[in-house]
Amino acid sequence: MGRRARDRRRQQQQQQQQRQERGGGGDQAVRAGPGEAKRGRERRGRRADGAFLQGWAGGYPEIVKENELFERYYQELGIVPAGEWDAFMAALREPLPATLRITGYRSHAKEILHCLKETYFRELQDLEVDGQKVEMPQSLSWYPEELAWHTNLSRKILRKSPQLEKLHQFLVSETECGNISRQEAVSMIPPLLLDVSPHHKILDMCAAPGSKTVQLIEMLHADMNVPFPKGFVIANDVDNKRCYLLVHQAKRLNSPCIMVVNHDASSIPNLQIDVDGRKEILFYDRILCDVPCSGDGTMRKNIDVWKKWTTQNSLQLHGLQLRIATRGVEQLAEGGRMVYSTCSLNPIENEAVIASLLEKSQGALELADVSSELPGLKRMPGITKWKVMLKDGQWFEEWKDVPSNRQTQIRPTMFPVKDEEKLKTMNLERCLRILPHHQNTGGFFVAVLIKKSPMPWNKRQPKVHQKLPERTGNTEVTAANSGNGSDCIFEEPTLAENEESKKMQELPNSDTEQSKKEGVCGPPPSKKMKLFGFKEDPFVFLPEDDPLFLPIQKFYALDPSFPKMNLLTRTQEGKKRQLYMVSKELRNVLLNNSEKMKVINTGIKVWSRNSDGEQFGCAFRLAQEGIYTLYPFIHARIINVCIEDVKILLTQENPFLSKFSSETQKKVKDMAMGSIVLKYDPDPEKPHELQCPIVLCGWQGKTSLRAFVPKNERLHYLRMMGVEVFKAKRKEEELENKTKEEIQQGLVQTEEGMDVEDKEHDLVTKMEAEIGGESSQSPVESSAMEVENKIEDLDQSSKNANSHVSQEGKDTDASNVKD
């Protein structure tokens, strides 16, 4: 025993002796010691447990919804009408009502709306939860066709209340199918004001998490009879991780016209496209510029803003917001429309950015008057006078009043224009500010800009047509110094837009040209761009003479107009397991910009390799996510089914042919085994039945017929047909729990020497057969799984990735409040 141990032992003995002496009697104290010690421990335990339980019951300390600086700032600016301040503050302290939007581009949107109103909302009448009467959901008066609704039901009540479990399951399932989107009401405004048509080329500059992007995709597919609209959406975000969240959102709509890219929005590169054999700069018809902001309009759902809010956030973000907006209008086509929006009420982030942009444009931009659009939406006009305040409460009315030691925090572009004539021509009152208390929403700001002519810094022609500096292997177009701050834009103007287009043709790149000929669009080299995150697989387009396509074309009798050049894979070597498809316009963008653009995801899966299919004449089966795009081109292997057949297909795993109608049996009789299309057409003479068409992927066996449809999509179609799926969902969950228990018991038995592999396989097969899900033999829908696997690996990859060096990444640390 060491010296220190002996000292501790001696000290413990002395303390014990002193306690016994104070207790009065050595032997008695010794006898009473253990019992007393036990009771003491119990008393201390009860006190500790009481404090522990009390701490859990109390949860985190409630955030006090007070901010003196916030009230002082906005009262001074006068953005709230006289007499409405108390109502404004009271609304901010109330929780934000839940809102949802029904996807409006599918033909069965009306069926979903009818089901929601007649089945689920009707059950909420006279319903009380925790003693509080549930208010009936109301449609947003300004959103077209009653496709957006709001309710006072919180997420917690929806999840926990037994009376609302059926509605909750419906919302979750339909959201996963892409038929319903949870989105804040004010967040729906910018896409509506963009006035999108199916032929528009659209850029979403700061797109994640993707609710507005989904709206834009819906607008492109306004006519579902057109499988490939001429327009497309390029959705960008600076955060590599959030890009995968964006992919997850966009994939639910199964569009071939969406591309997700990963760039700093303030310096997003100019893209080029091939137009009749010549290279031209890509200018967008519509641009959504929903910039990072301080988010004080989101106080109702992000209550941390109450204690963190300060004017410093707006001062830090103003420069970034102006750079992003400037880059946006540079890439906007003449006559095009750009919507600038924030979830902030602060004029430093709103009117100051717009005024600076208008002043620099020298008449090239104008604010659109949208007062007649979205009737029913209550809005406040933009303001023309404001002041700048520091976080210590110090006010400045003009730039000349700012001391030199503060001029790094406060910039001239933050102040209103003093020239009354110039201010009048700007029409800042055409901006929209949404106040929370007017229609029980969050706070928001929107400005709609129209580009009448090229920007001034793109107009100046070079004095001589000199050769550009040699840049081996680099065909990237120089941006208009947008990444270096707005103050530098006028000092070094770039070539005119049409001149840039000509010069780009003088910069051939042998490697790039060879890649384009081969149809390979790989990720950009790491040398040229500081990009972090997952290494993306290349996009390889099928060549015209690829032998892979001929059996597919013959098996499905594809129409001669089928755009086979738009088919691509994500592998250059080995067997091609999945075939994806993009629109012709996105193919053009991909082939001409692989060296300067980091593409995260594009295209929808249309065919999946099936090893069993080769013996039937085609190695590829149809994929459900791309069936609505493919169906107009398929002329063989289509079986028209009645409503009862559809119910059998969606509720039974592998039903025998004898269970189907006689008409279906006749059609299947002379058809070879393999992948098929199952089509249901509504009968107008039977209005009580489902009145929207359904297209399903299926497989015909020797004696059976089955559908390859994801679980949530099955439940969706069954709901539309009036089949009760809530009980089936409960049964499925109980069965899953039971199966887990049985598997765990089997694993225990395995340790005792019992082989459980066959038993587990039988259990899984039994479970799938009972719930009507896809069997373990069914091909996996891998494109969605790829994204989900990457999302699961985000935390691990972030440990190895360096932090973003772009200014956008730095500035958005202050607040990442995006709807």
Side-chain angles (χ1 to χ4, degrees), residues 466-472 474 478 507:
Q466 57 187 3
K467 289 185 179 179
L468 293 180
E470 292 185 6
R471 292 180 292 175
T472 305
N474 185 1
T478 304
L507 294 171

Side-chain angles (χ1 to χ4, degrees), residues 132-319:
Q132 181 182 1
K133 189 177 185 303
V134 176
E135 293 181 12
M136 285 292 292
Q138 301 292 325
S139 63
L140 299 180
S141 60
W142 45 268
Y143 200 93
E145 300 181 23
E146 286 190 317
L147 292 180
W149 293 72
H150 70 99
T151 173
N152 68 333
L153 296 173
S154 68
R155 290 185 180 183
K156 182 178 179 181
I157 293 177
L158 272 174
R159 285 197 303 262
K160 302 298 182 184
S161 175
Q163 303 100 310
L164 299 172
E165 186 178 359
K166 185 177 177 181
L167 173 61
H168 180 246
Q169 293 287 358
F170 170 81
L171 295 176
V172 170
S173 178
E174 293 297 326
T175 298
E176 291 178 7
C177 290
N179 299 314
I180 283 179
S181 177
R182 284 289 304 272
Q183 185 178 356
E184 191 178 343
V186 290
S187 173
M188 305 174 191
I189 297 172
L192 292 176
L193 293 179
L194 260 183
D195 190 26
V196 171
S197 295
H199 65 277
H200 283 151
K201 298 181 284 291
I202 307 167
L203 172 64
D204 191 349
M205 300 189 75
C206 309
S211 57
K212 300 181 185 68
T213 308
V214 169
Q215 271 184 278
L216 298 174
I217 297 172
E218 292 175 26
M219 295 171 183
L220 281 182
H221 292 274
D223 185 357
M224 281 301 293
N225 295 320
V226 180
F228 293 101
K230 292 184 178 180
F232 57 80
V233 177
I234 294 181
N236 172 71
D237 202 87
V238 69
D239 191 326
N240 185 266
K241 296 178 184 180
R242 286 164 64 89
C243 282
Y244 292 98
L245 178 60
L246 180 57
V247 170
H248 179 71
Q249 289 273 44
K251 278 289 183 183
R252 295 185 296 123
L253 269 66
N254 300 328
S255 170
C257 305
I258 171 69
M259 179 190 294
V260 177
V261 299
N262 179 204
H263 288 279
D264 182 344
S266 64
S267 57
I268 189 169
N270 281 337
L271 303 182
Q272 56 177 319
I273 53 175
D274 193 309
V275 180
D276 298 328
R278 67 181 188 278
K279 300 293 189 301
E280 290 188 0
I281 297 283
L282 171 61
F283 291 102
Y284 301 94
D285 303 301
R286 297 289 186 269
I287 293 180
L288 179 57
C289 186
D290 186 50
V291 296
C293 65
S294 62
D296 56 19
T298 68
M299 283 180 160
R300 300 183 67 177
K301 66 174 183 178
N302 299 318
I303 58 176
D304 278 354
V305 179
W306 280 99
K307 62 179 182 179
K308 294 180 180 179
W309 187 92
T310 171
T311 56
Q312 192 68 21
N313 297 338
S314 299
L315 300 181
Q316 291 173 345
L317 287 167
H318 171 86

